[in-house]
Amino acid sequence: MATLQAASFCCCCSSSSASFRKIKATLNAQKFLSSSNHHSLPRLLVDELNQSKRLQTFKPDLTQIEMKPKIETKAVKELYAIMGIVADRTEMHKNLGFQRDNWNHLLLTSVNGMTVTAATMAGLVAVSGVGVAAPVVLALKLSSSLLYMAVTGILLVMNKIQPSQLAEEQRNASRLFKQLHEDIKMTLALQNPTEDDVEDAMNKVLALDKAYPLPLLGTMLDKFPKKVEPAVWWPKHYLKTQQEKDNGKVNRNGWNEKLEEEMREVLGVMKRKDEAEYVRLSKVVLKVNKILAVCGPLFSGMAAVGSILQGLPFIGSWGAFLAVMFGALATVVNTVEHGGQVGMVFEMYRDSAGFFRLMEETIESNLKEEEADRRENGELLEVKVALQLGRSLSELRDIASTTSSLSSRISPDKDEFGSKLF
C-alpha cells in the first residue's frame, strides 16, 4: 500500500512539474514574441500574428476625410487645381526668399572684402619706399583701382534691387499663399464650392502675383517709390465676396447699434494711429535708405579716383588719403545699409501698414452695407478684429469707449494704439 501511494505521489509530482515546465515555456514563447515584434520578426509576420489573436488597429485618414467633398463637381475639381497651383507658388516664393537672402549676405561679404583689399593696396603704395620696383607699385595701383571700380558697379546693382527687401517680399508672399491654401482647404471641407468660390480664389492668386512678382526684370517693385503707400495684396471685389459668403439672418446677423459704434471707433483708432504710424516709419526708413544708397557708390568711386591719382606730382599724398579714407567710409556705409537690411525694414513697415489697411476696408465695407443680413456676422467680425489686434474682447471694447470720450476727441494724439502685436 505504501508502495502504491509513493508511486502515485511520484506520478503527480512528475505530471505537475511537466505541466509547470509547459506553462513556463509558453510564457517564455509569448515573451519572446512580444519582445521580438520590433526587432527580429518581419513586419508581415507580426501583422499575421496580431490578426490571429484578433487584434485590429485602426488609423483613420483624417486628411482624406476632411478634404473629400461629397459631390465631385466642376467647381470642386477647379478648386483642387487652384490649390495645387497655390502650393507650388508657396514653395517657389519660399525658395526665392532663401536665394535672395543669400544674395544679400554673399554680395555684402564680397564687396566689403574687395573694398578692404583695395584700401590695403592703396596704403601699401603710399608707404612703399625707393627700393620697391616700379612695376610692383604700378600693379598695386592698378589692382586697387580695378577693385574699387568693381565695387562701385556691384553697389549700383545692389542698391537698385535691394536684396534684403527682395527676400522680405518673397517671405511675405510665401506666408500669404500658404494662408490662401488653407482658406481653399477649409472651403472644400466645410461647404459645397461654387463657381463664385473658384473665381474668388483665382482673383486672390492674381492679386498676390501682382503684389509680389517673381521676376526681377520688368515687373520688380520700385524700391524707392516717390509716394509711400501701404502694400495691397487683395483683389478689389474681395470684401464684397466675403460678405456674401458670411450671409446670415439671425438676430440681425450679430449686429446692433453698440457694436456698430464700437467698430467705428476701432476703425478711427487704426486710421489715426496704427496705419499712420507705419506709413510715417516707412517714409523715414526710405529716406535713410536713399541716402545710404547714394553714399555707398559715391564713396567707392571717390576711392577709385584717389587710387588712380596716387603718385602724381601735383596730387602728392592726397591720392592715398582719398583711396584709403573713402574706402573705409564705403565699407561702413555698405555694412549699415545691407548688413542692417534697411530695405527689409522698409518693406516690413509697408506690409504692416497694408495689414491695417485691409482691416480698415473690411470694417468700412460692413458698416456701409445698410442691410445687416448682407454683412459679415457682427460677433464673428468682432472676434476676428480683436485677435488680429492682439486683444481680448473686453480690451477692444475698452479702446472704443476710451476713444469715444470727450478728452480723447479733443487730443487724439493721446489715443492708445489699436494693435498690441506690432
Side-chain angles (χ1 to χ4, degrees):
M1 185 69 180
T3 305
L4 289 174
Q5 289 179 355
S8 77
F9 177 77
C10 290
C11 290
C12 293
C13 290
S14 62
S15 62
S16 63
S17 63
S19 62
F20 175 77
R21 286 195 298 270
K22 184 177 180 181
I23 293 171
K24 185 176 181 181
T26 304
L27 292 175
N28 290 334
Q30 291 180 352
K31 183 178 180 181
F32 170 76
L33 287 175
S34 63
S35 63
S36 62
N37 280 344
H38 303 287
H39 300 285
S40 60
L41 289 179
R43 183 65 184 174
L44 182 59
L45 181 57
V46 174
D47 292 338
E48 291 178 357
L49 290 174
N50 289 335
Q51 289 178 3
S52 65
K53 295 178 182 178
R54 297 180 181 179
L55 296 177
Q56 296 180 354
T57 57
F58 177 68
K59 295 181 180 180
D61 193 352
L62 297 177
T63 304
Q64 293 182 359
I65 293 175
E66 293 175 356
M67 291 297 301
K68 190 69 174 176
K70 296 180 179 180
I71 304 174
E72 288 286 347
T73 62
K74 179 184 176 183
V76 170
K77 295 178 181 178
E78 290 176 344
L79 274 182
Y80 270 114
I82 294 174
M83 190 167 66
I85 293 172
V86 169
D88 184 60
R89 288 280 208 287
T90 303
E91 194 66 23
M92 290 170 64
H93 284 284
K94 181 180 178 181
N95 293 338
L96 280 178
F98 285 129
Q99 179 200 57
R100 290 170 184 180
D101 189 50
N102 286 335
W103 281 3
N104 186 57
H105 293 295
L106 294 175
L107 286 173
L108 175 62
T109 304
S110 301
V111 165
N112 281 347
M114 294 166 66
T115 306
V116 171
T117 303
T120 304
M121 289 180 177
L124 291 176
V125 171
V127 299
S128 60
V130 180
V132 180
V136 175
V137 176
L138 180 61
L140 289 173
K141 286 177 56 178
L142 291 177
S143 299
S144 176
S145 302
L146 289 173
L147 284 175
Y148 274 133
M149 287 187 286
V151 166
T152 303
I154 295 174
L155 283 177
L156 289 174
V157 176
M158 285 184 68
N159 294 340
K160 176 66 177 177
I161 66 174
Q162 293 291 316
S164 64
Q165 188 171 344
L166 289 174
E168 181 67 15
E169 291 172 4
Q170 301 308 315
R171 284 191 289 264
N172 289 328
S174 178
R175 176 180 60 84
L176 292 171
F177 269 112
K178 186 176 180 181
Q179 181 180 344
L180 177 58
H181 185 273
E182 295 299 320
D183 291 342
I184 298 175
K185 187 186 294 185
M186 292 291 292
T187 301
L188 288 168
L190 300 179
Q191 56 183 311
N192 293 323
T194 62
E195 293 297 329
D196 292 336
D197 296 315
V198 175
E199 184 179 359
D200 181 45
M202 291 182 64
N203 289 334
K204 289 179 181 179
V205 172
L206 295 176
L208 282 172
D209 287 339
K210 183 179 179 181
Y212 302 102
L214 286 169
L216 285 177
L217 301 177
T219 59
M220 183 182 69
L221 297 179
D222 187 8
K223 299 301 180 287
F224 301 98
K226 295 180 180 179
K227 184 180 180 181
V228 178
E229 293 182 349
V232 178
W233 58 82
W234 57 91
K236 294 181 180 179
H237 304 292
Y238 166 70
L239 302 174
K240 183 178 179 181
T241 307
Q242 288 297 108
Q243 292 170 16
E244 292 175 354
K245 282 185 180 181
D246 298 321
N247 191 5
K249 297 183 179 180
V250 180
N251 190 22
R252 293 196 66 213
N253 202 12
W255 288 91
N256 53 53
E257 294 182 359
K258 184 177 180 181
L259 180 59
E260 289 181 0
E261 184 63 26
E262 175 189 338
M263 289 292 104
R264 288 192 181 94
E265 296 298 337
V266 173
L267 174 64
V269 170
M270 287 193 294
K271 280 187 174 182
R272 291 192 305 269
K273 300 293 292 184
D274 297 272
E275 181 186 347
E277 177 68 12
Y278 280 103
V279 170
R280 184 188 68 82
L281 291 173
S282 300
K283 292 179 180 179
V284 172
V285 175
L286 181 62
K287 289 180 181 179
V288 173
N289 200 22
K290 284 182 178 179
I291 295 173
L292 295 174
V294 172
C295 290
L298 178 62
F299 289 159
S300 62
M302 292 292 293
V305 172
S307 180
I308 294 173
L309 297 178
Q310 267 186 303
L312 296 180
F314 58 91
I315 295 296
S317 60
W318 285 104
F321 175 81
L322 291 176
V324 176
M325 186 66 184
F326 281 104
L329 289 175
T331 303
V332 173
V333 170
N334 297 333
T335 303
V336 172
E337 181 183 7
H338 299 289
Q341 301 187 6
V342 181
M344 181 273 292
V345 175
F346 167 72
E347 184 64 25
M348 181 182 65
Y349 285 150
R350 197 174 73 92
D351 285 325
S352 298
F355 169 79
F356 291 110
R357 174 68 62 86
L358 177 59
M359 291 184 63
E360 293 164 10
E361 291 186 7
T362 303
I363 297 174
E364 282 181 342
S365 63
N366 281 280
L367 293 177
K368 287 180 181 179
E369 183 60 54
E370 296 181 358
E371 297 182 11
D373 292 340
R374 295 179 59 85
R375 299 176 180 176
E376 183 179 355
N377 184 274
E379 296 175 353
L380 177 61
L381 179 63
E382 184 184 22
V383 172
K384 287 166 60 177
V385 170
L387 292 177
Q388 287 174 338
L389 295 178
R391 295 181 177 273
S392 63
L393 288 176
S394 59
E395 290 176 336
L396 187 69
R397 291 162 186 162
D398 289 341
I399 288 180
S401 60
T402 304
T403 307
S404 60
S405 63
L406 180 61
S407 60
S408 178
R409 294 183 183 275
I410 294 175
S411 57
D413 292 338
K414 297 181 178 180
D415 286 348
E416 184 181 359
F417 284 92
S419 176
K420 281 187 173 182
L421 295 178
F422 304 110

